[in-house]
Amino acid sequence: MEFGVLGPVVGWSAGEPVDLKGPRHRAVLGRLIVARGRVVPVDVLIDDLWTVPPAGALSAVRTFVAALRRAIEPDRAPRTPPRLLITSGPGYALKTENVDAWRFEAAVRASLPADQLLPELLSALELWRGPAYAEFADEGWALAERTRLTELRLRAVERVAEARLALGRAADAVPELDAHVTEHPWREDAWRLLALALYQSGRQGDALAVLRRARETLVSQLGLDPSSTLFHLETDILNQAPHLTSAAGVGGVWEEAAAVYGRVVGGSRARIESSVGLLRSLAVTGGGGLVAARRHRLAAVAAAEELGDPDLTARVIGAYDVPAIWTRSDDEAQAAAIVAAAERVLPTQDHPSIRARLLATIALESRGAREPARAREAALEAEELARGLDDPMLLAFALNGVFMQSCYRAGLAPQRAAIGAELVTLSQRHNLFTYEVLGHLISMQAACATAHHVRADEHAQAADALAARHELPLVAVFTRWYAALRDDTPESYRAAATLLDDAGMPGLSDGLLPLALAAHAVRHGEPIPAADYGPHTQAMNGSPPPGLLLEAYWALTVHNARQSGDLRLLAKAQAALEPAADEHTAGSGLLTLGPVTDYLD
């Protein structure tokens, strides 16, 4: 069953229209769709349906709901509970994801390469059959949603133009943009795109004429002064600035944009804040991009603090919502500096969204802390705030923080499995592909810890498929290491380690191969090879920090204590492992020492 509100309110079953009865029935359905799955109390429905409710309003609403249920679930057996239009407490809710407006919104908000985004947007725009909630234009309950969807539709048209420009198809963008600015003359970005499309089509004179027309329209009809963006574009067109042409291609644009970040410090407020967007994109490229993103991120935070603007500082810190899967920091000094800055600015911020971002940042950047109480507190508060807001990206960011603080003791794989499952579901619903990858990797790790390897295989394959589609090279580091765990040979671990050379993740790579070979030796009754275990040396001998390797560290501690006869250390390690008695020492998804029970006497 599918529902449509981008035009008259309708329903389809297997592509065929469903008889929704009269206008009041459709109004009830439309009102429930506006609520997006939340319960609408009956008294609210009555007030929305009638200016002056009749005496039998309650019975009428129940009649409308019963008729709608028969229409949208015609095959439901008698006396079985409805699955779509449910009764909950004092009202009703529509439990579905199949609404054309929601598919449209996901496409408009998608972050995809231009060649993938363009067909998605064009298909999404074809969903419109008329004005949203067309027959309820005068109803108060529909007004805000109609306005929001109309704004999204205008933005979709502009995103189509942006995608065409990025693909070098400027001439294709001109006709639609020309009609767009004529119908919506207040949209400065549409004027900018039209002028740019004309210029890239070899029509410099027409591009300048459009900018003059934009200026005259904004001033004479709307009483608005054009922004500096249009002024600078006119100057660049007159000077035939090289960056206006699409000939440089994506690589040239990327290199030019990336070069900006070496000059972040001392920049204007807008420049500092906008820099974080590209830093997020640089981070997921791995290697030098990840290293540069870390370095310039701290520079951007410092620049914001130097301006003495706590609101700007809070936004810059909280905007870096790059998904994180590994529980040891790549740069502990920098992470500590970010946490300190977030703690300094947190008391100045009252808005729940900004506070949630700062708290999630504290939780993420405190990964592996030996005293995790404050980080866990921050993670849980961020989650609580995020769940109270209608912001899927913020909730995903907060859940990432909760995940990062879910390794403070052994035996917490089920909690991490729940986080991974929620991230996958949330991300698929709202097209948050980087967090969908994170959800699959977390689920893969949790499945390893419970020895559900078929399930782990499925999550690894899903993560790899998303990584290939969205060009996320770092994902292969974790899935290849998981494949090495499954193969469990020294050769497979050594092959996986080659991916770490240019990954830009020292928190993961330092000492990992020797640790994996040590784990393999213990499992196969061989002596642990002498090697430089780097940051793992202390952790293997009774002093492990929180993290995804916690169970593995304690298992190695048990092994070493047995070898040395240190009964006190053996008892300490076994007590720490006891909560994970039903798990395997494979929660990292990278290496394993087998079942925890092998290390419990």
Side-chain angles (χ1 to χ4, degrees):
M1 180 63 60
E2 296 180 282
F3 301 96
V5 296
L6 300 180
V9 175
V10 296
W12 299 281
S13 177
E16 294 298 319
V18 172
D19 182 8
L20 297 178
K21 309 300 180 184
R24 300 278 190 197
H25 299 76
R26 292 194 297 276
V28 169
L29 180 60
R31 180 64 182 85
L32 294 177
I33 291 173
V34 167
R36 294 189 79 110
R38 294 185 292 272
V39 174
V40 180
V42 173
D43 57 352
V44 173
L45 280 172
I46 290 172
D47 290 339
D48 286 338
L49 289 174
W50 292 281
T51 305
V52 179
L58 179 58
S59 296
V61 168
R62 289 171 176 165
T63 300
F64 300 153
V65 168
L68 281 171
R69 282 173 173 160
R70 287 193 296 272
I72 66 178
E73 290 190 62
D75 299 326
R76 181 166 59 92
R79 292 183 294 281
T80 58
R83 293 179 298 104
L84 291 176
L85 206 171
I86 66 167
T87 301
S88 180
Y92 303 101
L94 186 69
K95 296 299 183 180
T96 182
E97 297 295 328
N98 297 326
V99 178
D100 58 1
W102 303 349
R103 294 201 302 276
F104 172 78
E105 183 176 351
V108 177
R109 300 191 188 283
S111 177
L112 296 171
D115 60 341
Q116 298 175 33
L117 181 62
L118 182 57
E120 287 286 328
L121 288 173
L122 292 174
S123 296
L125 285 166
E126 289 177 356
L127 295 173
W128 285 75
R129 297 166 287 108
Y133 297 90
E135 69 266 56
F136 303 115
D138 298 325
E139 300 294 339
W141 57 264
L143 179 60
E145 185 67 358
R146 280 169 51 84
T147 302
R148 190 181 71 86
L149 290 171
T150 300
E151 173 63 25
L152 280 174
R153 186 177 185 279
L154 298 180
R155 180 62 189 133
V157 172
E158 291 160 11
R159 290 204 73 189
V160 165
E162 290 171 349
R164 284 173 170 153
L165 290 174
L167 294 170
R169 295 167 52 185
D172 293 345
V174 170
E176 190 165 311
L177 281 171
D178 201 7
H180 187 58
V181 297
T182 301
E183 189 174 358
H184 309 286
W186 63 88
R187 297 187 71 85
E188 283 197 38
D189 204 44
W191 288 107
R192 177 187 66 82
L193 289 166
L194 177 57
L196 192 57
L198 287 165
Y199 180 80
Q200 291 183 3
S201 303
R203 299 165 61 182
Q204 181 177 358
D206 290 338
L208 293 170
V210 159
L211 291 173
R212 286 194 296 272
R213 182 156 60 99
R215 184 165 53 248
E216 293 166 1
T217 301
L218 291 169
V219 171
S220 63
Q221 295 186 22
L222 304 174
L224 299 175
D225 291 324
S227 69
S228 59
T229 300
L230 295 183
F231 171 79
H232 290 312
L233 178 58
E234 185 173 20
T235 302
D236 288 341
I237 288 175
L238 286 167
N239 294 328
Q240 298 186 350
H243 72 267
L244 294 183
T245 65
S246 59
V250 175
V253 173
W254 179 260
E255 291 171 8
E256 182 179 334
V260 170
Y261 297 100
R263 305 189 295 276
V264 164
V265 178
S268 68
R269 284 168 168 79
R271 186 175 175 189
I272 292 170
E273 188 169 0
S274 64
S275 70
V276 184
L278 185 53
L279 293 181
R280 289 199 307 262
S281 298
L282 279 171
V284 298
T285 65
L290 179 56
V291 173
R294 284 200 299 267
R295 182 173 68 252
H296 294 307
R297 177 193 180 194
L298 190 56
V301 172
E305 286 199 291
E306 285 175 11
L307 290 173
D309 187 336
D311 293 340
L312 174 65
T313 303
R315 292 195 302 271
V316 169
I317 292 172
Y320 191 81
D321 50 3
V322 177
I325 184 65
W326 194 238
T327 48
R328 181 171 180 269
S329 175
D330 292 318
D331 188 332
E332 294 180 1
Q334 190 218 56
I338 295 291
V339 169
E343 293 282 21
R344 282 194 297 270
V345 78
L346 184 63
T348 70
Q349 302 301 308
D350 296 325
H351 195 283
S353 176
I354 295 176
R355 285 188 62 83
R357 285 186 170 275
L358 289 171
L359 290 162
T361 300
I362 291 169
L364 282 161
E365 297 301 333
S366 300
R367 66 188 83 177
R370 289 186 175 273
E371 299 296 333
R374 167 56 183 156
R376 287 173 56 202
E377 174 189 279
L380 295 174
E381 185 179 349
E383 181 188 11
E384 181 180 4
L385 289 169
R387 290 195 185 280
L389 300 168
D390 187 18
D391 187 338
M393 176 67 85
L394 177 58
L395 179 56
F397 186 30
L399 288 172
N400 197 174
V402 174
F403 160 71
M404 204 55 67
Q405 297 302 323
S406 66
C407 309
Y408 60 91
R409 67 165 175 83
L412 294 176
Q415 287 89 326
R416 293 195 289 276
I419 294 169
E422 182 172 5
L423 277 172
V424 170
T425 301
L426 178 71
S427 301
Q428 289 176 343
R429 183 177 302 156
H430 299 284
N431 199 37
L432 309 176
F433 62 85
T434 55
Y435 280 103
E436 186 180 352
V437 170
L438 177 66
H440 282 301
L441 292 178
I442 292 172
S443 299
M444 178 191 78
Q445 293 167 339
C448 280
T450 53
H452 287 97
H453 291 125
V454 172
R455 190 182 307 162
D457 289 346
E458 292 170 351
H459 286 294
Q461 291 164 7
D464 278 334
L466 286 165
R469 189 183 316 151
H470 299 292
E471 298 182 355
L472 303 173
L474 291 180
V475 174
V477 171
F478 295 94
T479 55
R480 281 281 298 278
W481 269 89
Y482 165 68
L485 178 154
R486 294 281 274 137
D487 193 38
D488 195 30
T489 65
E491 293 74 23
S492 59
Y493 286 123
R494 290 191 181 96
T498 61
L499 294 179
L500 295 172
D501 295 340
D502 300 316
M505 295 187 291
L508 174 67
S509 60
D510 287 354
L512 181 60
L513 178 58
L515 185 70
L517 295 177
H520 180 271
V522 170
R523 285 199 70 194
H524 293 82
E526 301 167 359
I528 294 180
D532 179 6
Y533 293 98
H536 306 295
T537 304
Q538 185 180 4
M540 294 164 62
N541 291 282
S543 185
L548 288 166
L549 288 168
L550 186 63
E551 288 85 357
Y553 286 148
W554 280 122
L556 285 167
T557 300
V558 168
H559 174 80
N560 291 336
R562 285 171 172 167
Q563 298 294 310
S564 65
D566 188 336
L567 299 182
R568 182 197 60 80
L569 182 58
L570 181 63
K572 176 184 175 182
Q574 290 182 331
L577 272 177
E578 184 64 38
D582 296 330
E583 296 181 11
H584 280 226
T585 58
S588 67
L590 306 179
L591 54 84
T592 182
L593 285 99
V596 169
T597 52
D598 291 351
Y599 303 90
L600 297 176
D601 285 336

